[in-house]
Amino acid sequence: LVKMKVWMERWNVLMSFLVLSLVVASNQVGPTPQTVLEERYGNRLELAIKCLEHGIQLFRSRQHQLARRYIQTCHRMSQDLPTDERSISARLSFAYNNIRIQSAMYLGILFESTRTDSMARNYYMSALRLAKDKNSIPTFAHVCRENLRSLLERKARNNYHHHADDSSSERFLVFRFWAGLSNRRQELIGMIGAARILNRTLVLPDMVEGRWMAKHRENRMREGVDHFHDLQVLSRYIRVIDQSRFVKEVVPKLTSANTELHVRDYAYSGQFASLGLSYGTLSYVAADQIQSPRPPKELKGDLGQSNFPVLAIDFSYRLLDLGNAGEFEFFNGTAEWTPRKIDVKFTPSDLYVDILKNLHFSEQIMNAGKAVMLENDLHDNPFLAVHLRRNDMAYWKNRQHSWPETDDVIAQIRSLARTGNVSRVFLATDAEEEEVFRIQHSLPQVVRLDQARMGIGEAQLAIVDQFVCSHSAFFLGNFWSTFSWAIVEERYKLGHATHTNQFFQAPLPQDHPLANATRVLR
């Protein structure tokens, strides 16, 4: 009985163990695909780190060729991430990106030590772009930025004595577009003024180089300045040359160290080097200087003494001060300076006026604009033009004048049309079709440009809108949009009175605590 009792206890323990094992087995799940992927890329990361560490040791022992092989292997491995980075953890993705940046940094240092400056610059710039686009450790980006700066300055010092001053040769002003469509117009106006002041030939880049035209770059469409403006008229005011012709015909004839570069970030210096230019000297321009446009005399004093054949400017948008562009009253809101009452007082300088007089729309734009006006019976009849900016202006919704509600838009269009005694309204907008339908349903006299029938590029269609708006009897626009201000410029050039230009208004309620806290901003 005692033995049986012992065996029974053992049997119960054994059965309990078997039942527990079955329960655990039934609940146990095999490794998920994400777990397997995570483990695989984790192992690759460890191997990449070992390659990098060994490459650094070889570099320190001056075995540069072997070091380069190991670090390049690490760099290639760090690029081998899944197409969808969300399939691995954020921690692993962060580690991969930082190893990629770190390996690019060390490759830059390695190539710089062997005096292969072009390769060093490429790797430094690659690391800086990655650091900007991805979440990364700031130290790596700082090291790359400083190394790139010292590399460029050293190269400029070494090349300076090769520069020959030939005062009889033609001198050029090179720039690149930065911002959106109408911002590019402002950049062009500023650079035309700078070329006039500095007596240099302006090199005109393709419009597709700006960020706004990214989708056109993917479609390999190229739209130069001549697609938008009449270069024959402009060439009577300043000397101009297309960038592709400049690269093909002028750059090969230049001496070495041919360019004086003014850049806001050394990471962008390669944008001009890609044209085949060689920097003889360069200077870094701080952000506060970029935000302070220079009067014509100051600009001539700063840049007019350069003896280099090419002067390259990386911050064209706010280079030249051309005078006042408007006045409004404002109150200090919670997040933005928001105007309460806007008065359009476009007071350009004489230089600004001269530039506008010589900046004409291209023949293709004018012909398309005239066709739109004839088709919609706007040519011989006074009409109201409205620019309603939506799309990216959603970012500025806290600025009331940037995003008027649809009911306010309809009410202000109706009020201005009644005041101006006009029966036709032309609407230029990037609003959703649903909102456009609502506006046209409330205001049957509203017409739009028929994009499908124009047969020209999307960017040119926007300029056709500007052409039509500039010929209206009255204009209602968006104060925060440079697209609207481009229309105001054109209307000023055509002789329209200031009171015919209006902007969407959004006055504060009388009981608002800041309703009386106003003053003139500019």
Side-chain angles (χ1 to χ4, degrees), residues 237-471:
Y237 185 65
I238 60 167
R239 301 185 304 275
V240 295
I241 183 173
D242 181 75
Q243 182 175 280
S244 59
R245 184 184 163 201
F246 171 75
V247 171
K248 186 183 297 183
E249 299 178 9
V250 178
V251 173
K253 300 177 183 178
L254 296 174
T255 58
S256 61
N258 48 51
T259 301
E260 178 177 324
L261 172 66
H262 294 262
V263 64
R264 63 175 175 175
D265 193 324
Y266 289 104
Y268 297 120
S269 59
Q271 297 286 341
F272 296 108
S274 64
L275 303 180
L277 300 174
S278 174
Y279 305 141
T281 183
L282 70 160
S283 64
Y284 173 76
V285 182
D288 58 339
Q289 292 177 282
I290 295 172
Q291 294 301 320
S292 302
R294 310 178 202 188
K297 288 184 178 179
E298 183 179 329
L299 181 72
K300 187 170 184 178
D302 291 345
L303 304 177
Q305 307 304 316
S306 174
N307 292 323
F308 286 87
V310 180
L311 179 63
I313 305 292
D314 181 54
F315 49 95
S316 54
Y317 183 59
R318 294 181 62 84
L319 178 67
L320 183 61
D321 184 0
L322 289 169
N324 253 339
E327 295 184 4
F328 58 87
E329 294 180 341
F330 72 93
F331 70 89
N332 189 356
T334 56
E336 294 288 338
W337 290 103
T338 305
R340 187 180 68 158
K341 185 175 185 298
I342 300 172
D343 295 317
V344 183
K345 294 181 180 178
F346 183 61
T347 54
S349 64
D350 291 341
L351 176 61
Y352 203 163
V353 174
D354 285 343
I355 295 170
L356 291 178
K357 287 180 178 178
N358 289 280
L359 188 64
H360 292 194
F361 290 122
S362 67
E363 184 177 358
Q364 187 179 21
I365 296 291
M366 289 194 293
N367 289 339
K370 290 174 183 177
V372 171
M373 294 175 68
L374 285 170
E375 184 176 342
N376 292 283
D377 196 24
L378 303 174
H379 190 68
D380 295 323
N381 299 309
F383 67 97
L384 166 65
V386 178
H387 173 226
L388 178 62
R389 177 75 172 267
R390 291 309 200 197
N391 204 348
D392 59 330
M393 277 288 155
Y395 181 77
W396 301 114
K397 276 192 176 182
N398 56 326
R399 295 178 173 177
Q400 296 180 35
H401 299 277
S402 296
W403 198 271
E405 297 298 331
T406 307
D407 289 339
D408 292 333
V409 169
I410 294 171
Q412 291 185 56
I413 292 175
R414 182 179 286 124
S415 174
L416 190 54
R418 187 185 304 116
T419 302
N421 193 27
V422 295
S423 59
R424 305 288 284 173
V425 179
F426 178 79
L427 177 63
T429 184
D430 58 354
E432 298 292 336
E433 288 300 321
E434 182 180 351
E435 183 177 21
V436 174
F437 175 80
R438 185 178 166 191
I439 294 171
Q440 290 182 314
H441 180 73
S442 301
L443 302 167
Q445 69 269 40
V446 171
V447 296
R448 294 178 68 199
L449 180 152
D450 187 351
Q451 298 185 3
R453 296 176 57 185
M454 297 305 297
I456 57 177
E458 180 186 348
Q460 289 177 295
L461 285 170
I463 306 302
V464 172
D465 272 339
Q466 287 184 341
F467 176 88
V468 176
C469 289
S470 67
H471 286 79

Side-chain angles (χ1 to χ4, degrees), residues 29 56 89 94 100 142-143 148 155 184 251 256 303 326 336 344 359 376 395 416 475 481 509 521:
V29 180
I56 293 171
S89 67
F94 175 80
R100 187 177 174 188
H142 176 73
V143 171
L148 180 60
K155 187 174 181 181
R184 281 203 300 277
V251 173
S256 61
L303 304 177
E336 294 288 338
V344 183
L359 188 64
N376 292 283
Y395 181 77
L416 190 54
F475 172 64
S481 171
L521 175 61

Side-chain angles (χ1 to χ4, degrees), residues 495-506:
H496 289 286
T498 301
H499 74 272
T500 63
N501 301 319
Q502 300 291 328
F503 288 119
F504 286 109
Q505 303 285 338

Side-chain angles (χ1 to χ4, degrees), residues 40-54:
R40 182 193 307 164
Y41 279 97
N43 293 335
R44 286 181 62 84
L45 179 64
E46 290 182 8
L47 185 58
I49 292 172
K50 288 180 180 178
C51 285
L52 179 61
E53 290 175 345
H54 191 56

Side-chain angles (χ1 to χ4, degrees), residues 196-209:
R196 177 81 173 183
I197 293 167
L198 302 174
N199 192 26
R200 285 179 175 267
T201 300
L202 185 61
V203 179
L204 299 173
D206 289 323
M207 288 288 190
V208 295
E209 297 303 326

